[in-house]
Amino acid sequence: MKVKNEVKIAIVAILGIIILFFGMQFLKGSSLFSTDTIYNIKFDNISGLSTSSPIYSNGFKVGSVKGIEYDYKNNKDIIVKVAIDRNMTIPQGTRAEINSDMLGNVRVNLLLGSSTAALKPGGVINGGKSAGMMEQVAKLVPPIQAMMPKLDSIMTNLNMLTADPALKSSLHNVNRLTASLVVSSAQLNLLLSKVSKDIPGMTGKTNLLLDNAGGTMKSAHLLVNNINQKLDSIHVTQSMAKLEQTLHNVQELTRKLNEDEGTLGMLMNDKQLYLNLTKTIGDLDSLMIDLKAHPKRYVHFSVF
């Protein structure tokens, strides 16, 4: 039986449609020959998430988005149906985060919970949006904008500083100072080398000086011993007795002077005697003055 060309074309078209369908499913990341477990993720904002977006866990792709349901009546949560590999067990308490890179690619990361109980197929996973790199960069934009005027001022000051002739002069002085330091370092190294050569001789002289100092100390020690021996030979007891006798005599003299005994005591303590002596001296002074003024009253010269 001969097959007509129209039948052949129809069969080829059907096969093409089937291949195209499975090819589209394959490109979307859907598994063609295995059944995945379906879960629901609840978001309040999917941030560009679409069907066939990948699902990752610890950086490994474990599924993809199968469908998105939006509540047009209440405008509430968005339910995203995801197909997860049936070999993976999702524990209760698992969360989902939407991440986007700088190229705009959106994916869902599963943050697995610590519970030992597994989430049943069709269960609901709470989802949220992760602060991606672009959002972090956007947060940095206002502080950068606030810093721009300060940066402009700093650049202006830097330009003025670099154009200042004093800076060039300072750099020239720094170069000269560096050259001087190099020369000084060379001279210091030369001096240290000379000192290193002279150190043995200086050490010998120092030892000799220390030996002489030791001999001097010994001589001083002998001198101190001689002085001690001479002091021991002095009759300290007799000298102290004489000193005490002398002090006793001084005290006795002082007592007599204070008690009007003797001429000095009476002279020091008798006020009337002091006044009479003062009056006598005054009269004698008046007499001498009158004698100088009228000598003829007291002296007479006669030839015969």
Side-chain angles (χ1 to χ4, degrees), residues 13-199:
I14 294 171
L15 291 175
I17 292 172
I18 294 172
I19 293 173
L20 180 61
F21 173 77
F22 285 106
M24 292 296 294
Q25 295 295 322
F26 177 77
L27 293 176
K28 289 180 180 180
S30 301
S31 179
L32 301 179
F33 304 103
S34 63
T35 58
D36 296 330
T37 304
I38 302 300
Y39 296 95
N40 296 320
I41 303 178
K42 182 172 62 176
F43 293 102
D44 57 357
N45 187 343
I46 60 175
S47 300
L49 189 68
S50 61
T51 305
S52 73
S53 294
I55 309 296
Y56 287 87
S57 176
N58 297 327
F60 182 78
K61 183 180 178 182
V62 296
S64 61
V65 176
K66 287 297 182 181
I68 300 174
E69 296 179 359
Y70 182 72
D71 188 357
Y72 289 97
K73 293 182 179 180
N74 300 319
N75 296 326
K76 291 184 178 180
D77 296 330
I78 303 173
I79 302 300
V80 177
K81 293 185 177 295
V82 295
I84 305 298
D85 193 323
R86 62 180 179 180
N87 294 322
M88 181 176 180
T89 300
I90 298 180
Q92 294 182 1
T94 299
R95 297 182 62 257
E97 286 186 350
I98 297 177
N99 289 338
S100 59
D101 56 18
M102 297 183 65
L103 299 178
N105 299 320
V106 181
R107 70 178 188 178
V108 178
N109 287 332
L110 294 178
L111 305 178
L112 301 179
S114 59
S115 177
T116 57
L119 184 66
K120 294 182 179 180
V124 178
I125 301 173
N126 293 323
K129 184 180 178 182
S130 175
M133 184 179 297
M134 294 302 296
E135 292 186 3
Q136 295 178 359
V137 173
K139 292 180 181 179
L140 293 175
V141 171
I144 293 175
Q145 290 178 348
M147 291 175 60
M148 289 303 296
K150 297 181 180 179
L151 291 176
D152 292 337
S153 177
I154 292 173
M155 292 302 298
T156 302
N157 293 331
L158 287 176
N159 291 330
M160 294 177 60
L161 181 62
T162 54
D164 192 355
L167 179 62
K168 297 181 180 179
S169 178
S170 299
L171 293 176
H172 180 67
N173 292 332
V174 169
N175 292 330
R176 293 177 57 186
L177 180 61
T178 304
S180 300
L181 288 175
V182 172
V183 175
S184 300
S185 299
Q187 293 177 353
L188 182 60
N189 292 330
L190 181 61
L191 178 62
L192 289 175
S193 62
K194 291 182 178 180
V195 170
S196 298
K197 293 180 181 179
D198 296 338
I199 283 177

